[in-house]
Amino acid sequence: MSTAAAVILWVGATFYALFGGADFGGGFWDLIAGNAEKGERPRGTIQRSLTPVWEANHVWLIFILVVLWTAFPQAFSAIFSTLYVPLTLAVLGIVLRGSGFAFRSSVEGLQARRAAGAVFALSSVITPFFMGAVVGAIAVGNVPAHGNGDAFSTWLAPAPLFIGVMFVATSAYLAAVFLVGDARRGGDHEMERYFERRALAAGVVAGIFAVVGLIALHSEGPYVYDRLIHEGLPLIIISALCGIGMLLVLLLGGRLLLRPLAAGAVIAVIWGWFVAQFPYLLPTSLTISHGAAPDPTLVAIFIVFAIACIVVLPALAILLVLAQSDMLEHEH
């Protein structure tokens, strides 16, 4: 039962990495789009893509927090009492990002819109970076089960910082791939080529940082590293093949397989992390079974999860279908 609850937690993490990651990546491309004149069209494409779904994408973060808190309260306590600094900065980034995105299309005055846009774009980089640093600190085993880890040295280390940068690069990679499809669907071939070039660059950069993060993990997190290159090796290979396949499809001008290949590369990494940590939640101090809540609590989680699958997943699917079919109203 505890392993099943951990699988549910990782399912939530997978959805958040895909949809929330692409959401953050859109803000990254917004940040580097250039001045008001040069960046008007890319920002317009990003705005149209994010507006219908950006709030729904973060439902998965709430899901992850609730499952972690309820099913694994000791791990929740240890993580939040040790890594409260990067977690607080990530939460601040989420709040500022949402505010900036909402206000930049409604406030009057060019300077006010620019300020709101800058807040949105910068927060879109800061937030995934600190989330990645949190994941990196957990993966290398810097979070003790009793939650008495140092507030700074646990995540201000090479591996967590490299993983934080990898999160930013991966978000940019996902967003660029998604935006290629959105621009093509909107008939804007110039923006399609614009984001195609950025998807190629982001894919290469994300791959480089994944390799660098793996090297840093070798020295700082030997347990996870050893299992990753043995038990998790098939998933690493799948991720690499999907990433290379995505680049080849882009270079050949294909579009049909872009999103599945990009998503497959990210999904394989997330589940490789699960396999590498197993049977630990906090390597090597807290196992899944020892950190799990009592069985009646886990049963309640399974029931709620089943209800959510029946109610929430179809609603999110309908939203995505409507957004991808351009059947939702857009502000002009």
Side-chain angles (χ1 to χ4, degrees):
M1 289 179 66
S2 60
T3 301
V7 168
I8 290 173
L9 181 64
W10 250 262
V11 168
T14 302
F15 279 111
Y16 189 56
L18 290 176
F19 298 112
D23 201 316
F24 290 127
F28 173 84
W29 296 119
D30 187 294
L31 178 65
I32 65 171
N35 58 33
E37 182 179 354
K38 181 180 178 182
E40 182 179 2
R41 290 186 65 185
R43 291 190 178 105
T45 303
I46 294 165
Q47 182 86 11
R48 287 190 296 274
S49 296
L50 292 186
T51 297
V53 297
W54 73 276
E55 290 176 294
N57 289 336
H58 297 285
V59 167
W60 296 109
L61 177 60
I62 300 170
F63 175 85
I64 293 167
L65 294 175
V66 170
V67 173
L68 179 61
W69 178 26
T70 310
F72 304 102
Q74 187 177 350
F76 183 94
S77 174
I79 292 168
F80 275 74
S81 59
T82 298
L83 300 173
Y84 61 88
V85 174
L87 285 167
T88 299
L89 293 171
V91 170
L92 180 63
I94 290 173
V95 173
L96 292 175
R97 182 179 184 275
S99 301
F101 189 77
F103 284 126
R104 75 172 182 173
S105 60
S106 57
V107 295
E108 295 183 359
L110 179 60
Q111 293 302 320
R113 287 198 297 272
R114 283 180 173 175
V119 168
F120 160 72
L122 288 170
S123 299
S124 296
V125 176
I126 291 170
T127 304
F129 171 77
F130 286 116
M131 286 182 174
V134 168
V135 170
I138 295 170
V140 299
N142 287 350
V143 180
H146 298 295
N148 56 349
D150 184 77
F152 293 96
S153 63
T154 47
W155 62 278
L156 288 175
L161 295 178
F162 276 124
I163 292 173
V165 176
M166 188 183 76
F167 267 48
V168 176
T170 302
S171 296
Y173 158 71
L174 284 172
V177 171
F178 284 20
L179 287 165
V180 167
D182 290 344
R184 182 182 180 86
R185 192 177 63 254
D188 192 339
H189 299 298
E190 182 180 343
M191 285 296 98
E192 182 185 353
R193 292 189 295 272
Y194 175 93
F195 286 111
E196 177 183 330
R197 295 190 296 270
R198 280 146 184 81
L200 285 167
V204 173
V205 172
I208 292 172
F209 276 108
V211 173
V212 173
L214 193 63
I215 294 171
L217 190 64
H218 175 261
S219 59
E220 296 182 46
Y223 176 83
V224 171
Y225 175 83
D226 289 341
R227 284 187 56 85
L228 192 60
I229 62 171
H230 291 97
E231 287 81 357
L233 184 60
L235 288 165
I236 293 177
I237 294 173
I238 290 172
S239 178
L241 291 176
C242 286
I244 294 170
M246 191 280 299
L247 295 176
L248 290 175
V249 169
L250 268 179
L251 290 171
L252 294 174
R255 294 291 181 265
L256 184 61
L257 296 176
L258 276 184
R259 292 186 180 186
L261 287 171
V266 175
I267 291 170
V269 170
I270 294 168
W271 286 92
W273 172 35
F274 178 80
V275 170
Q277 283 203 175
F278 192 83
Y280 289 98
L281 271 175
L282 302 176
T284 51
S285 60
L286 183 66
T287 63
I288 292 172
S289 58
H290 288 152
D295 286 353
T297 302
L298 296 181
V299 170
I301 289 172
F302 298 150
I303 294 171
V304 171
F305 179 67
I307 295 172
C309 288
I310 296 170
V311 177
V312 178
L313 288 181
L316 292 174
I318 291 170
L319 175 63
L320 290 173
V321 168
L322 292 175
Q324 292 295 305
S325 302
D326 288 329
M327 297 176 68
L328 299 174
E329 291 185 359
H330 293 281
E331 293 183 4
H332 297 284

